[in-house]
């Protein structure tokens, strides 16, 4: 079954609006005018060759990268240099990294409770209760009191997802969440992401997992050299790509 | 279907060796190793024999007992020694309570201190009664408050407040007030060494962290001030700065403002160490990967929170050995305050030797001082190892 199963969650209200977003690294023009919007509950998979700007793009959405031209509006708040806005948006936008970036000096559960306690000002008891519930949902409740270095890569990434979810974000960004994992651990992370998609979360996922894209995404965006070359529903994208560059990319990624 | 065959479990080959085998492998494996081993044995024999005969037959240890008080507290008036006792007792109670309440590291440090107290209390040599008495009381206080502390978890906040008030209280208590006040010039011996070292260590640590953060700041003004401070201070010998702090500072200060000499020494030692501390901490900060900052930001932590909960804990624990090295260096550098006429423990020894009665006792006195320094510095590096183990350095 590759039928899209989550469309019913998508509403018509845009939650992220990007207007002509540009970004340079020194002289290198990484993003060359991205204009798009994402609806509440939408799941977008972003793919493209490395260096195409796809990671940079989702990192501009929680201001880990600063865009230098254009506007980005997340949940009605425009991203500017105003620190208060940035912190507000970061509370609404969770992020999962390729290298997990768990805090190695804290146990798994403390990795999760830190944000809720320090930013959302939850009590320790409440934060721990929530964290254990999240770990349960991730299927790793028994790993709560271990340190990140003591659990497998797949488990670390699930802790990282729980850490992001503990802030009760409206949007989740995934930056190649399975690229650093051994093959047998990829599916356990994808399962969790699939479950999250079904729960109606707005998700922007940079990934090379085309099976996941086909199954879960409402829209697949193909980035190349800083522009969105093509975007379409997964069925159209994979079976009927319009641009030569997209065709080449799909044939290359689906070969193996 | 073929049945699975299990390979039988095989024990790993034994790596234990009998002593004979060990000797052969490690000391006599070939002719030149044999030669080196024999040479080392001969050398060690003469070394031990020399040390043993000097320590137990030749050394004139009679210089120590009558001067023990001077080495401990310098010229602190005898009838005012109860002030030192008060400070030590309060310290003992605080340490005992902390050990009981927090366990772990506090427990280790406190039990080490209690051991030293017990050793002093039981010293087989003739010491004056007040020292032995103080040691017995202090050790008992530690033990009692430790037992109490285990059941008094709700005292936590008060113990922390107690530690914070400890320094002003100690200064007030030792100095006294009114007619009976004791000029800090009279403070000396191990008392002064420890006060200078502890104040320097405790104060240079936060200042060093701030300087390290300042040097990495995005704001040019803060960055340049931090760099200038660190480089200038590191470019000067401590003796020079002590001199300037002691002799030249009063010239630049308006009117009669002359901070106490001991206070000035504390400030100089603190500011001097802070520059080195800053560079140690900066080394740790550089070892924290960018992803850690990003992850902290992504959960919505602000800059101070990111630093306090994510970056600094990782940065500091990775440079514990260098930080403790800095503390040990500071501890030994306190001996340089004799240049501004403060007599800490080494200066006191020189003073004692100036007395015609004790000329010719240099080796005994200096060896005794060396042992005191060693006890404290060794304790510091031992504690740092415990801290590392506790924080799981290298494990997670």
């Amino acid at each position: 079954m590759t039928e899209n199963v989550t469309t019913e969650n998508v509403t018509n209200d845009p939650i992220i609006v990007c207007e002509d977003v540009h970004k340079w690294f020194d002289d290198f023009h990484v993003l060359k005018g991205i204009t798009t919007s994402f609806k509440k509950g939408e799941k977008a998979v972003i793919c493209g060759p490395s260096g195409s700007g796809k990671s940079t793009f989702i990192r501009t959405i929680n201001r880990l990268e600063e865009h230098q031209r254009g506007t980005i509006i997340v949940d009605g708040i425009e991203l500017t240099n105003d620190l208060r806005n940035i912190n507000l948006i970061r509370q609404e936008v969770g992020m999962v990294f390729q290298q997990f970036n768990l805090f190695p000096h804290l146990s798994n559960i403390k990795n999760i409770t830190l944000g809720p306690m320090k930013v959302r000002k939850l009590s320790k008891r409440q934060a721990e209760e929530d964290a254990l519930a999240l770990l349960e949902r991730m299927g790793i409740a028994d790993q709560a009191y271990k340190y990140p270095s003591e659990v497998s890569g797949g488990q670390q990434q699930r802790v990282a997802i729980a850490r992001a979810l503990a802030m009760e974000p409206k949007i989740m960004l995934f930056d190649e969440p399975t690229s650093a994992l051994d093959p047998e651990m990829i599916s356990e992370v994808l399962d969790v992401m699939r479950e999250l998609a079904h729960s109606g979360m707005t998700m922007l996922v940079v990934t090379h997992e085309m099976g996941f894209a086909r199954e879960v995404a409402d829209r697949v965006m193909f980035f190349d050299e800083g522009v969105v070359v093509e975007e379409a529903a997964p069925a159209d994208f994979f079976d009927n790509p319009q641009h030569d560059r997209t065709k080449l990319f799909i044939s290359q990624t689906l070969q193996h | 279907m073929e049945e699975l065959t299990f390979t039988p479990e095989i024990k790993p080959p034994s790596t234990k060796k009998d002593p004979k085998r060990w000797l052969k492998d490690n000391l006599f494996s070939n002719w030149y190793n044999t030669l080196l081993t024999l040479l080392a044995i001969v050398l060690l024999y003469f070394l031990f024999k020399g040390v043993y005969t000097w320590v137990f037959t030749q050394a004139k240890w009679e210089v120590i007992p009558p001067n023990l008080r001077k080495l401990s507290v310098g010229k602190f008036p005898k009838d005012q020694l109860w002030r030192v006792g008060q400070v030590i007792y309060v310290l003992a109670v605080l340490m005992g309570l902390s050990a009981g309440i927090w366990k772990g590291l506090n427990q280790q440090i406190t039990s080490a201190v209690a051991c030293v107290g017990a050793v002093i209390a039981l010293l087989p040599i003739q010491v004056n009664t007040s020292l032995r008495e103080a040691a017995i009381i202090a050790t008992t206080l530690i033990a009692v408050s430790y037992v109490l502390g285990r059941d008094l978890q709700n005292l936590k906040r008060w113990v922390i407040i107690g530690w914070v008030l400890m320094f002003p209280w100690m200064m007030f208590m030792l100095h006294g007030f009114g007619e009976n006040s004791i000029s800090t010039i009279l403070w000396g011996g191990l008392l002064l060494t420890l006060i200078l070292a502890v104040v320097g260590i405790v104060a240079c640590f936060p200042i060093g962290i701030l300087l390290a953060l300042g040097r990495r700041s995005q704001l040019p003004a803060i960055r340049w001030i931090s760099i200038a401070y660190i480089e200038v201070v590191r470019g000067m010998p401590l003796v020079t700065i002590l001199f300037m702090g002691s002799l030249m500072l009063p010239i630049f200060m308006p009117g009669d403002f002359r901070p106490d000499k001991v206070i000035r020494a504390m400030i100089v030692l603190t500011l001097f160490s802070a520059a080195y501390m800053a560079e140690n901490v900066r080394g740790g900060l550089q070892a924290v990967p960018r992803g850690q900052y990003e992850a902290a930001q992504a959960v919505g932590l602000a800059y101070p929170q990111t630093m306090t909960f994510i970056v600094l804990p990782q940065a500091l624990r990775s440079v514990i050995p260098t930080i403790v090295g800095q503390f040990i260096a500071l501890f030994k550098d306190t001996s340089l305050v004799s240049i501004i006429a403060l007599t800490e423990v080494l200066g006191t020894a020189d003073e004692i030797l100036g007395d015609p009665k004790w000329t010719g006792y240099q080796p005994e006195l200096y060896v005794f001082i060396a042992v005191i320094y060693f006890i404290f510095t060794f304790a510091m590096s031992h504690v740092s190892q415990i801290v590392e183990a506790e924080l799981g350095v290298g494990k997670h």
Side-chain angles (χ1 to χ4, degrees), chain A residues 3-20:
Chain A
E3 194 57 32
N4 196 304
V5 281
T6 54
T7 329
E8 71 267 21
N9 288 322
V10 183
T11 64
N12 278 321
D13 324 326
I15 191 164
I16 303 170
V17 180
C18 301
E19 191 70 49
D20 193 33

Side-chain angles (χ1 to χ4, degrees), chain A residues 102-129:
Chain A
L102 289 175
F103 308 129
H105 61 301
L106 300 175
S107 62
N108 290 335
I109 189 161
K110 283 197 175 147
N111 264 276
I112 300 170
T113 57
L114 187 72
M117 281 166 64
K118 301 300 172 194
V119 182
R120 291 174 57 213
K121 309 289 180 200
L122 290 191
S123 71
K124 189 179 177 197
R125 175 190 292 242
Q126 185 62 49
E128 279 180 357
E129 225 167 78

Side-chain angles (χ1 to χ4, degrees), chain B residues 57-79:
Chain B
T57 62
Q58 294 167 337
K60 297 166 282 186
W61 293 116
E62 64 268 22
V63 64
I64 305 297
N67 289 311
L68 213 47
R69 185 170 65 87
K70 233 178 170 188
L71 288 170
S72 312
V73 294
K75 294 198 201 74
F76 209 88
K78 203 172 180 180
D79 58 338

